[in-house]
Amino acid sequence: MTTIAKVDRGGFIESWHEGLAVLLDEDGGVVEEHGDVHGQHFLARSSLKPLYAAGLLGQGVVIENERQLALACASHGRLAMHSSLAADMAAALGVDEDELQCPVTESRDDSEAGRFAPMCVGKHIAMVAAAKQQGGADDYRNAEHPVQQRLRAVVAELTGDEAQASVADGCGAPVHSTTAVGLARAYRQLAVAGGSSVEEELLRAGRAMISHPEVIEAAGKPDTVIGSVFSAICKFGAEGTVAITLPTGVTAVTHCFDGARRAATVAALDMLVRAGHIPADAVEQNAEALELRHPGAKVISALA
């Protein structure tokens, strides 16, 4: 096990976090690795959404609006603007709200509740649209549904990892295990053109994420802050996954085994800073929004 981050409270190490970390250069080569990044599988959870979006576009789902495509890749901040965008996306794709099987959730900035408010709704709208094209969406979350079978194959194609586990995510749709290197290689293709059709769809999803960071999470939240400050693609996954890709294709992926997002965030940013790809002062200036500063304590990387 490798310690990737620590919490320093006034010079006393209050806690530490073990996990995986890998950095790829512009050409996709591994330039830094910590832990078994080639063999240890984990669930990247919502970090897989851009890969799903590419797979759903490849199944014939037509998402012409770039903000709606970003929503398909997002774990949005449950604001009214996100729910409104989801409603517009559903209407454009011919999806009714009652066809969605994500949980009814309240928005953070109003009292309205519904199936357009959950953070995973963009993914679900696109899944329903794909399932309806293939004959029926009643069981679109079922791992045996043709849509889900194809998405599992797409994840394997883009990561180079055959899943060791395919289980239900928090929203009820399948999520597939991968390695840190595999996820990083897939994420690099969000910024660097590939050769296959699904890689081209992934590149399109990446452009949408870079152009609309406010959709990916919310203003003042880590994914949106990193996306805005560094013109990057950033996507967290529940239980401690963070993936960051710069426009050059440089990619950092981290996973914290105890599920601490802040630990994964600081480790990923630290690798990018030490390799000279992003400025340290920009990270420091945004440390509070990135959840790296707390009263009396700071989260620090343990990788250097």
Side-chain angles (χ1 to χ4, degrees), residues 46-47 49-50 53 66-79 81-82 85 118-120 122 187 190 204-219 221-228 232-237 243 261:
S46 285
S47 295
K49 285 177 180 173
E66 197 172 60
R67 290 184 77 239
Q68 293 173 11
L69 179 54
L71 189 70
C73 303
S75 296
H76 72 66
R78 301 193 351 262
L79 303 178
M81 61 163 279
H82 296 116
L85 179 60
M119 64 171 59
C120 295
Y187 259 71
L190 286 162
R204 187 176 161 223
R207 287 195 296 263
M209 295 176 76
I210 287 178
S211 298
H212 302 283
E214 77 287 353
V215 173
I216 303 305
E217 192 168 10
K221 294 295 184 179
D223 281 357
T224 295
V225 171
I226 292 171
S228 300
I233 295 158
C234 182
K235 187 71 197 73
F236 83 95
R261 177 182 181 179

Side-chain angles (χ1 to χ4, degrees), residues 47 226 234-237 240-244 252-255 261 264-265 268:
S47 295
I226 292 171
C234 182
K235 187 71 197 73
F236 83 95
T241 299
V242 169
I244 302 172
V253 165
T254 51
H255 178 73
R261 177 182 181 179
T265 299

Side-chain angles (χ1 to χ4, degrees), residues 9-234:
R9 185 171 296 277
F12 181 83
I13 300 302
E14 182 176 33
S15 60
W16 51 91
H17 305 274
E18 296 178 330
L20 305 167
V22 64
L23 179 68
L24 304 187
D25 63 17
E26 293 90 340
D27 298 321
V30 175
V31 293
E32 186 171 344
E33 61 183 286
H34 304 270
D36 185 6
V37 299
H38 299 274
Q40 175 69 57
H41 273 239
F42 62 93
L43 298 174
R45 302 287 295 276
S46 285
S47 295
L48 291 183
K49 285 177 180 173
L51 283 60
Y52 295 152
L56 291 163
L57 291 172
Q59 292 188 56
V61 177
V62 179
I63 307 177
E64 296 180 348
N65 182 288
E66 197 172 60
R67 290 184 77 239
Q68 293 173 11
L69 179 54
L71 189 70
C73 303
S75 296
H76 72 66
R78 301 193 351 262
L79 303 178
M81 61 163 279
H82 296 116
S83 297
S84 177
L85 179 60
D88 291 343
M89 179 181 178
L93 294 182
V95 173
D96 295 328
E97 184 176 3
D98 60 8
E99 292 179 295
L100 301 172
Q101 295 175 16
C102 44
V104 173
T105 307
E106 287 190 0
S107 295
R108 286 175 47 225
D109 56 357
D110 60 35
S111 59
E112 183 179 342
R115 296 194 189 278
F116 291 141
M119 64 171 59
C120 295
V121 68
K123 175 184 76 174
H124 281 259
I125 292 170
M127 285 180 175
V128 170
K132 291 176 74 171
Q133 290 179 2
Q134 298 185 36
D138 290 347
D139 62 343
Y140 75 90
R141 296 186 303 173
N142 189 308
E144 300 305 316
H145 193 287
V147 167
Q148 301 299 344
Q149 288 288 299
R150 176 55 187 152
L151 291 182
R152 175 175 173 145
V154 164
V155 170
E157 176 183 344
L158 293 172
T159 64
D161 296 324
E162 194 62 46
Q164 292 183 355
S166 295
V167 295
D169 206 336
C171 64
V175 61
H176 313 291
S177 72
T178 184
T179 66
V181 162
L183 185 63
R185 287 176 174 156
Y187 259 71
R188 177 179 170 272
Q189 294 171 80
L190 286 162
V192 178
S196 70
S197 59
V198 70
E199 289 170 341
E200 292 300 319
E201 301 291 10
L202 193 61
L203 184 64
R204 187 176 161 223
R207 287 195 296 263
M209 295 176 76
I210 287 178
S211 298
H212 302 283
E214 77 287 353
V215 173
I216 303 305
E217 192 168 10
K221 294 295 184 179
D223 281 357
T224 295
V225 171
I226 292 171
S228 300
V229 172
F230 302 113
S231 299
I233 295 158
C234 182

